[in-house]
Amino acid sequence: MNPKRIFVLTAIIAAVLAFASGCHRHPWSDDSLSERVIDHLDDHADDLDLSAEQTIKYDEVKVRLTADLNNTQQDHKAFKLKLKEMLDGEDADIKEMTAEIRLKLNEIPGSLSVYFDYADELWAILDDTQKESVMTEMRDKSDRKRWHHRDR
């Protein structure tokens, strides 16, 4: 393969990967995804002052959530490695690589839906006062984001 073709293939693949990744560091780019998500949830749970019964249910959800986050992260790492191996191969094929990326992109909606199920489960644990507290915080954050992005 001539150097010009290698450069063109590399540029195309880099552009596709940059587009697919959103051009920023993903939260799963290191090994602490589940730890960071759970720490964030724990901070909010502490603010809600969960009862003993709520804490038991919350801890049960956290165990399953942690496992799913770890699996998602491992799948992502395996996918990145597969693309790297394809790119590093002597006969790198852009059509084969874009086909793999398309397959992965088609899996995303289904793989993300489980996290909405967790949100529903966590919501069901809360009493009305706690739910109102969460909604107030969400509205406040939404208002701050709207203000921050108003000129864009």
Side-chain angles (χ1 to χ4, degrees):
M1 191 179 290
N2 71 34
K4 183 176 180 180
R5 183 171 176 190
I6 291 171
F7 174 77
V8 170
L9 280 175
T10 303
I12 290 170
I13 291 167
V16 169
L17 291 175
F19 174 76
S21 70
C23 298
H24 66 281
R25 180 183 162 118
H26 283 288
W28 58 77
S29 60
D30 59 25
D31 290 331
S32 63
L33 171 67
S34 61
E35 181 180 317
R36 285 186 289 128
V37 169
I38 297 301
D39 284 348
H40 186 75
L41 283 175
D42 285 344
D43 286 343
H44 288 285
D46 288 344
D47 293 342
L48 294 171
D49 195 27
L50 300 177
S51 69
E53 182 180 337
Q54 288 174 315
T55 300
I56 290 168
K57 291 177 183 178
Y58 172 67
D59 288 342
E60 291 170 356
V61 172
K62 283 193 328 185
V63 169
R64 290 181 286 116
L65 175 58
T66 300
D68 279 341
L69 288 168
N70 288 336
N71 288 337
T72 297
Q73 187 172 10
Q74 292 308 313
D75 289 348
H76 182 71
K77 285 180 180 181
F79 179 70
K80 284 178 26 180
L81 180 61
K82 182 177 186 176
L83 287 181
K84 182 178 180 344
E85 289 171 353
M86 292 172 79
L87 179 61
D88 290 345
E90 180 120 349
D91 298 321
D93 181 357
I94 188 68
K95 285 187 177 188
E96 186 179 336
M97 293 182 71
T98 56
E100 286 295 323
I101 293 169
R102 281 189 186 100
L103 285 173
K104 192 63 168 176
L105 288 174
N106 288 334
E107 293 173 8
I108 290 174
S111 64
L112 289 179
S113 68
V114 69
Y115 298 107
F116 293 104
D117 295 340
Y118 285 122
D120 290 342
E121 243 184 291
L122 291 169
W123 185 255
I125 292 170
L126 304 179
D127 64 29
D128 290 342
T129 303
Q130 293 164 327
K131 287 178 181 180
E132 184 55 38
S133 174
V134 170
M135 291 305 295
T136 298
E137 184 175 351
M138 289 174 66
R139 288 181 188 113
D140 289 347
K141 283 187 179 185
S142 176
D143 289 344
R144 285 194 309 264
K145 294 281 186 193
R146 256 185 259 138
W147 180 84
H148 179 71
H149 295 288
R150 74 179 187 276
D151 295 331
R152 292 183 185 184

